[in-house]
Amino acid sequence: MSLLVVGLSHRTTPVGVLERAALTGEARPRLLHASAASATVAEAALLSTCNRIELYADVDKFHAGVAELSGLLAEHSGVSLEELTAHLYVHYEDRAVHHLFSVACGLDSMVVGEGQILGQIRDALSLAQEEHTAARGLNELFQQALRVGKRAHSETGIDKAGQSLVTFGLEQVAAAIGPVAGKRVLVVGAGSMSSLAAATLDRAGVADLAIANRTPERAERLAAGLGARTVPFDKVAEAMADADLVVSCTGAAGLVIGAEQVRAAVRARSALDGAGPLALLDLAMPRDVDAEVHAVPGAHLVDIESLAEAAADRDGAVDVDAVRGIVAHEVEAFGAAQRAARITPTVVALRTMASDVVLSELERLDGRLPDLDPRSRAEIAQTVRRVVDKLLHAPTVRVKQLAGEPGGANYAEALRELFDLDPSAVEAVSGAPKQATGARAAGVQVAAARGDIR
């Protein structure tokens, strides 16, 4: 597998660009299918969260793969390729594996050490499996990334300082309106992020928790598990007047809460005795709450952009160096295993050829000595096979060991040349059909042209 990652995240991209590039609804499977259908791509997976969009692909050519994937990201996100190019990053082979493992450990998160990314990686793999764009290569890679992430959290203290984006957001809200305990809260949305927010708020001891969602059944299921109540989605504007805090994360393509709705809620709250500012926590990408709310008197908005600014000022999470060590070790082990696996079809093809030679020679023996008794023939056959096995044992064991080292693919090629192995026989053992080459032209060679290969 030649792994290529093309993506953008909060580390390289302004939130405004990330917001416009965010993929919602059917855009994700469409992008996956378009990627997998490319002549240069064998497998594809998409990791799309509130602060990153990354395409992972098994490609047969680096430059063609970069051009193809960057062009597809632009096409399906609706942001021009020229604009995306300034923010895209590219990782290839071991650096791509290193990047995914780092992401899984929370090292590349807005809130370093957060564990929610593991669920998002699992969802990315599930989507690729459901859409049949991931095969053995990406399955093994993403499964190993999940194992590495779990190991980092179990063996280090990376998550002691690292919070989820939800808890970090609530921390920023509390700095403005005080602790959420005893507050009245409205959660808009019932997906994974909204569910995490609702559960976190419930544990924090809020006085009243209401859930609103476009699909009432999902809101009812979430509310039932928390002892909360539900609010019709078309009554969100009115319900905000009764809330101290509104948390929104719906995955909608457009705004859910407008500035005028917030102004109306603030005016209604002003008639209540002791009502403080109306706080809003927008965890959606693209945003649910109009950015103009930042300027509404009596309202305090915390969104992804303000969270990114706050995260940049935070001290690093504990045990980052230890996690980096785990990532480096796991990347090396994964690469060695992958390189060793690449030589297996060649070794199997060699042993198959040897077995065919033995069988052919035994058939010739039968023709030359037709009167040979069965017992003698069996002894001869066993001796010949034993001799062949002993001759092949040391070189095949050694070549598997050497294959795990950098440049190990050269040993497989040497075996094929020395023993004149039929390439089709090796491909038949690997079971990986070769895709046609060539790629659709894209406007630029993103990071390759900039020398930005990380």
Side-chain angles (χ1 to χ4, degrees), residues 8-51:
L8 61 162
S9 76
H10 66 283
R11 293 187 180 276
T12 65
T13 313
V15 172
V17 178
L18 266 179
E19 181 183 11
R20 289 190 290 113
L23 300 166
T24 58
E26 291 301 310
R28 297 180 185 184
R30 282 200 300 267
L31 175 55
L32 275 179
H33 285 293
S35 301
S38 164
T40 195
V41 175
E43 302 179 48
L46 173 67
L47 180 57
S48 178
T49 73
C50 61
N51 53 34

Side-chain angles (χ1 to χ4, degrees), residues 34 39 140 154 197 242 342 376 429:
E140 290 181 351
S154 65
D242 296 323
R342 290 173 186 170
S376 297
V429 173

Side-chain angles (χ1 to χ4, degrees), residues 388-429:
V388 171
D389 285 343
K390 287 186 176 180
L391 286 173
L392 292 180
H393 177 72
T396 52
V397 169
R398 184 60 180 147
V399 81
K400 286 182 178 180
Q401 294 171 342
L402 293 171
E405 300 175 359
N410 295 332
Y411 293 101
E413 184 178 349
L415 273 184
R416 292 193 293 269
E417 290 293 329
L418 288 171
F419 289 93
D420 194 25
L421 296 177
D422 183 357
S424 63
V426 177
E427 290 182 10
V429 173

Side-chain angles (χ1 to χ4, degrees), residues 198-397:
T200 303
L201 289 161
D202 182 62
R203 289 194 300 271
V206 297
D208 179 64
L209 181 60
I211 313 292
N213 192 61
R214 291 187 189 277
T215 306
E217 292 78 15
R218 295 190 66 180
E220 290 166 3
R221 283 197 299 271
L222 177 57
L226 298 172
R229 60 187 178 88
T230 61
V231 171
F233 194 78
D234 59 1
K235 300 296 183 182
V236 165
E238 292 92 327
M240 287 195 299
D242 296 323
D244 302 305
L245 167 64
V246 178
V247 180
S248 187
C249 187
T250 66
L255 293 176
V256 175
I257 299 173
E260 190 52 48
Q261 292 173 316
V262 174
R263 290 189 184 94
V266 169
R267 286 195 297 269
R269 287 174 58 78
S270 65
L272 302 176
D273 292 335
L278 173 61
L280 298 100
L281 174 58
D282 184 3
L283 298 171
M285 183 63 71
R287 69 180 76 229
D288 280 346
V289 182
D290 191 338
E292 289 186 15
V293 171
H294 281 294
V296 174
H300 180 80
L301 171 62
V302 175
D303 54 17
I304 294 296
E305 192 164 15
S306 53
L307 287 176
E309 293 172 357
D313 297 331
R314 283 169 57 93
D315 294 330
V318 298
D319 282 2
V320 167
D321 288 341
V323 174
R324 287 174 178 158
I326 289 174
V327 169
H329 176 268
E330 291 285 357
V331 169
E332 183 179 352
F334 185 82
Q338 290 290 303
R339 290 189 290 270
R342 290 173 186 170
I343 206 168
T344 298
T346 299
V347 172
V348 172
L350 173 60
R351 288 193 170 275
T352 300
M353 184 195 74
S355 179
D356 291 342
V357 170
V358 169
L359 182 60
S360 176
E361 290 303 314
L362 289 177
E363 289 175 349
R364 289 181 61 189
L365 180 65
D366 290 339
R368 292 182 178 183
L369 300 174
D371 297 329
L372 192 66
D373 64 277
R375 181 175 180 181
S376 297
R377 186 190 182 285
E379 284 291 336
I380 293 171
Q382 184 176 3
T383 298
V384 172
R385 290 193 176 97
R386 189 181 299 118
V387 169
V388 171
D389 285 343
K390 287 186 176 180
L391 286 173
L392 292 180
H393 177 72
T396 52
V397 169

